[in-house]
Amino acid sequence: VRIFQGRDAQGKRRYLNKTIRGTKKDADKYLSKTLTAMSTGTYVEASTLSVDDYLDRWLQGAAKGRVRDRTFDDYSDLLKRYVRPALGKVRLCDLRPLDIQSLYTDMQGSGLSARTVRYTHAVLNSALKQAVKWHMLFRNPCDGVELPRMVRREMQALSPEQASRFLAIAGESEQGVVFSFALASGMRPEEYLGLKWSDIDLEKGTATVRRTLVWRKGGGWYFGEPKTSRSRRTVPFPASLVRALITHRRIQAEARLKLGKDYQNNDLVFAASEGTPHNLGNLTQRHFRPILTKAGTAKDGEEQSEI
């Protein structure tokens, strides 16, 4: 079967050539079906492109311009870790719902949570939905899979008594002011760790969220945009915290003068000893969890992965 498909950008005539292993009637049937699909815009030409190659194109051509850098890194890492090893060598046009269902089953069988499987599905589904829009697939194979049921656990929070005990112990830590501010403001970690002194009004006792602190996978950091438009807000904090911040700023200024040129002045309210931003993982493991344990609230705070 030979079907004229118009001319390419260079004016060269393009044809679809297909060999049918069967009778002339079979060839006529294929021709009729293909011409109908072309006329209705539902024709998808079989491609030798692998899932790996397609995901590369999707990440760079569609995802990168649509999502934040941190989200893009998460997408890339998730696809590399779970999807590519199992499905990367499969031709995109040959990808079936059963292949994807088997991937999710294997992920659960290896001990991964339903949340991880569902997040993987969300990313892969988005990628394959774009393939349909680009006329590289007739339908999205993700539409035919079943997802594991989410088991939602109750969020663990400190009681007022536990919070008081936690703050008393935190006051003995060099990073105590960070935890006091986190508890009083209710900000996300990436918000209060991205605060600059220019965002703090000590007279009014307020802090304004204008940016977030983002750590890149593999190292390095940058200031990003708040999560949503509503995340840009001004948050009040108590007078006791005003006094603590004044003391904290004085100690920070003394450290900056002592280090001189070795101090990296980013104007951060909460910074490491050399002026660089705090890494949340280090802050959690070295300070937050030990304080929880010492305050006798580690069991209640065990589910908390963030400060």
Side-chain angles (χ1 to χ4, degrees):
V1 178
R2 183 175 172 85
I3 303 173
F4 176 62
Q5 291 185 296
R7 297 179 182 273
D8 61 20
Q10 287 72 41
K12 185 178 179 180
R13 295 169 69 87
R14 295 175 59 251
Y15 290 93
L16 167 64
N17 297 299
K18 176 74 173 179
T19 299
I20 303 299
R21 305 295 178 184
T23 65
K24 183 177 182 299
K25 184 177 180 180
D26 294 329
D28 288 335
K29 184 177 179 181
Y30 172 82
L31 174 62
S32 176
K33 182 179 178 180
T34 303
L35 289 174
T36 299
M38 286 180 172
S39 65
T40 58
T42 59
Y43 174 72
V44 176
E45 185 174 355
S47 171
T48 59
L49 199 69
S50 68
V51 171
D52 260 344
D53 291 336
Y54 171 73
L55 291 175
D56 289 338
R57 294 189 183 186
W58 174 73
L59 284 169
Q60 295 299 322
K64 193 164 190 175
R66 181 170 55 85
V67 300
R68 301 178 189 273
D69 291 346
R70 176 64 180 273
T71 304
F72 179 82
D73 290 342
D74 288 343
Y75 284 5
S76 301
D77 182 65
L78 182 143
L79 292 171
K80 179 180 179 181
R81 184 178 302 179
Y82 304 125
V83 178
R84 292 182 187 270
L87 305 176
K89 303 305 179 185
V90 178
R91 290 202 311 172
L92 180 66
C93 61
D94 293 336
L95 189 61
R96 303 170 301 164
L98 182 59
D99 299 324
I100 299 172
Q101 190 73 68
S102 297
L103 167 65
Y104 297 165
T105 300
D106 290 344
M107 288 175 67
Q108 281 192 284
S110 66
L112 294 171
S113 67
R115 181 178 182 275
T116 299
V117 174
R118 294 178 78 96
Y119 185 38
T120 300
H121 172 77
V123 177
L124 184 59
N125 181 56
S126 179
L128 297 180
K129 186 181 294 184
Q130 187 64 54
V132 175
K133 293 179 181 178
W134 284 341
H135 298 286
M136 301 176 75
L137 288 175
F138 178 67
R139 60 174 59 88
N140 185 349
C142 276
D143 292 342
V145 302
E146 297 292 331
L147 297 177
R149 183 173 61 88
M150 285 284 287
V151 178
R152 299 191 180 277
R153 292 179 292 185
E154 183 180 354
M155 177 64 71
Q156 299 295 315
L158 300 180
S159 68
E161 295 76 14
Q162 291 172 329
S164 297
R165 193 160 65 250
F166 172 82
L167 288 176
I169 300 298
E172 303 170 4
S173 167
E174 60 178 322
Q175 303 300 338
V177 67
V178 180
F179 307 128
S180 297
F181 187 91
L183 195 59
S185 67
M187 288 184 184
R188 300 182 179 94
E190 63 269 23
E191 292 174 342
Y192 62 73
L193 292 179
L195 284 174
K196 295 187 176 185
W197 283 110
S198 56
D199 304 320
I200 303 293
D201 188 328
L202 292 173
E203 292 185 2
K204 295 181 179 179
T206 61
T208 301
V209 177
R210 295 188 174 96
R211 73 195 67 76
T212 59
L213 176 68
V214 184
W215 283 90
R216 292 188 177 93
K217 291 184 182 296
W221 61 275
Y222 63 93
F223 289 123
E225 293 293 317
K227 191 170 184 179
T228 66
S229 58
R230 294 182 62 183
S231 297
R232 293 180 178 273
R233 65 198 187 281
T234 298
V235 179
F237 49 83
S240 59
L241 198 53
V242 172
R243 294 190 293 271
L245 285 172
I246 291 174
T247 301
H248 172 65
R249 185 168 63 174
R250 176 179 55 77
I251 295 173
Q252 192 180 73
E254 292 172 354
R256 184 169 65 249
L257 289 173
K258 185 177 181 179
L259 287 177
K261 293 182 179 180
D262 292 331
Y263 189 88
Q264 299 181 32
N265 189 9
N266 296 293
D267 194 37
L268 290 169
V269 176
F270 306 115
S273 57
E274 64 277 10
T276 54
H278 279 299
N279 180 285
L280 182 60
N282 291 338
L283 196 63
T284 301
Q285 294 300 325
R286 296 178 183 177
H287 301 282
F288 179 60
R289 293 194 184 282
I291 293 173
L292 282 179
T293 301
K294 192 173 181 180
T297 57
K299 184 176 180 180
D300 295 314
E302 192 173 8
E303 297 297 333
Q304 299 173 344
S305 59
E306 292 187 342
I307 300 168

